[in-house]
Amino acid sequence: MQDSREDDWQVYGTRLSSRLLVGTAQYPSPKILADAIRASEAEIVTVSLRRESGGSGAGTSFWQLIRELGVRVLPNTAGCHTVKEAVTTAEMAREVFDTPWVKLEVISDDDTLAPDVVGLVEAARILSRDGFQVFPYTTEDLGIAEKLVDAGCEILMPWGAPIGSGRGLNNPYGLRAMRAHFPDVPLVVDAGIGTPSHAAAAMELGYDAILLNTAIAKAGDPVVMARAFAQAVEAGRLARLADPMEPRDMASPSTPVIGRAFTAA
Amino acid sequence: MRAETLAALLAELEYEDAVVATARNRDFVRRKDRAQTQIVEGDEIEILVPKQGG
């Protein structure tokens, strides 16, 4: 059994030891955001580009805070509903954040924030051709996933449940099938995680990492919850490496039967 | 607004030293191209800054 601390994974040639990626939105304060990121031990955080509110300079202090944390940033295209919007946002993010990484979201509707997988594949193709390293927010649909890989994606990020819903893994069967179908592609469950047990369950399915935001940011104590998620992700990963037992239909005594008292003869 | 280029507009809005990304009419405009990018009445200018994201 290897120690999980030597159990690195890789995406686009970057070696990572933490298997928890966290968002930076919705925290009660910048200090709690910073403390929670540290407690999560995340090496990658997601960020976005938005119009300035509160005068010029408001974005600068956030960016300064993130840089001081020494983490890698993964800019998103959150809120983009068309290929054109997503591509332009990605281009803008590459210049500002100075990274080829982009968490590509093309959203189909505002009720579910489900990926528009048709637009996603098209945008992934355009961006990959233009030198981006695309992290696509997708569904567990295997045909779409194949097209994303063909488009140049070296990682796939299926949803667990709708963004911000905290419902956990809506389709564990589909996620398991995806893991089996893509044994060598890094897979990250992105969105829908509500509690550490959801994250552990996804890791037990063999997912390489978990990306979440609301479950930590909207907890009563985000810093403690960040620690809880770090431990759950590690526990789930260790469980996967340890090869869990198969469930059985019938009871089977765990205490040895031989040598017990009160047996006849 | 009196600015005739995107760079001049950013200066007028006091964004000169800020980390921003720009677009004109929904097309990305690189930092190095802002001084050459003419803007006219009715152009849709986008100025975006680093923000929290999920």
Side-chain angles (χ1 to χ4, degrees):
Chain A
M1 242 310 295
Q2 53 186 319
D3 188 310
S4 71
R5 296 193 192 287
E6 293 159 19
D7 174 36
D8 290 348
W9 63 297
Q10 271 196 56
V11 57
Y12 290 110
T14 296
R15 191 166 281 282
L16 300 159
S17 52
S18 169
R19 291 172 179 272
L20 178 58
L21 291 69
V22 298
T24 54
Q26 308 181 81
Y27 287 84
S29 72
K31 181 181 181 336
I32 292 173
L33 162 65
D35 289 348
I37 288 173
R38 282 191 206 97
S40 75
E41 298 175 39
E43 294 169 296
I44 298 175
V45 301
T46 54
V47 293
S48 74
L49 281 179
R50 285 287 180 268
R51 290 177 191 155
E52 188 102 79
S53 52
S56 61
T60 309
S61 59
F62 167 71
W63 185 218
Q64 186 65 30
L65 176 95
I66 295 299
R67 279 195 294 200
E68 283 168 9
L69 287 168
V71 289
R72 293 173 188 278
V73 295
L74 175 58
N76 69 27
T77 62
C80 292
H81 284 73
T82 66
V83 172
K84 171 72 176 164
E85 282 171 11
V87 168
T88 302
T89 302
E91 290 172 326
M92 295 171 88
R94 178 165 64 178
E95 184 180 77
V96 162
F97 295 110
D98 194 24
T99 174
W101 286 5
V102 62
K103 181 190 167 191
L104 183 60
E105 297 181 33
V106 184
I107 299 301
S108 66
D109 71 277
D110 284 333
D111 282 338
T112 63
L113 298 178
D116 165 6
V117 292
V118 176
L120 180 69
V121 170
E122 190 185 339
R125 193 169 288 130
I126 293 167
L127 291 170
S128 296
R129 220 164 29 211
D130 193 25
F132 282 88
Q133 296 175 337
V134 177
F135 294 55
Y137 164 62
T138 186
T139 68
E140 61 277 60
D141 185 301
L142 297 182
I144 293 297
E146 285 282 7
K147 287 181 166 60
L148 289 167
V149 170
D150 286 348
C153 297
E154 294 182 17
I155 182 171
L156 297 167
M157 304 207 299
W159 61 350
I163 294 171
S165 70
R167 301 186 66 84
L169 309 181
N170 260 355
N171 183 5
Y173 164 77
L175 293 172
R176 190 181 296 120
M178 196 170 194
R179 179 70 285 176
H181 193 80
F182 295 101
D184 301 321
V185 178
L187 298 180
V188 176
V189 169
D190 171 17
I193 299 292
T195 58
S197 59
H198 297 152
M203 294 305 292
E204 287 174 15
L205 289 177
Y207 275 70
D208 292 280
I210 307 294
L211 198 171
L212 59 89
N213 185 348
T214 312
I216 292 178
K218 289 296 187 189
D221 188 334
V223 181
V224 172
M225 190 59 86
R227 275 180 57 206
F229 270 106
Q231 292 182 10
V233 166
E234 186 171 350
R237 176 61 187 171
L238 284 172
R240 172 71 177 186
L241 293 174
D243 188 14
M245 66 170 282
E246 289 296 323
R248 291 184 284 219
D249 287 336
M250 303 299 287
S252 172
S254 47
T255 303
V257 174
I258 294 174
R260 69 181 170 180
F262 314 121
T263 42
Chain B
M1 297 295 160
R2 293 183 308 278
E4 292 175 359
T5 66
L6 188 50
L9 176 67
L10 288 173
E12 199 170 305
L13 296 173
E14 299 180 357
Y15 274 114
E16 281 164 307
D17 300 326
V19 179
V20 299
T22 51
R24 187 190 59 171
N25 299 328
R26 307 196 170 202
D27 287 324
F28 173 51
V29 179
R30 286 173 177 73
R31 190 178 291 130
K32 65 180 173 60
D33 295 333
R34 287 176 196 154
Q36 288 82 49
T37 300
Q38 304 288 325
I39 54 173
V40 296
E41 188 77 33
D43 273 352
E44 184 187 343
I45 304 297
E46 204 63 88
I47 303 168
L48 302 184
V49 301
K51 284 280 178 182
Q52 298 82 348

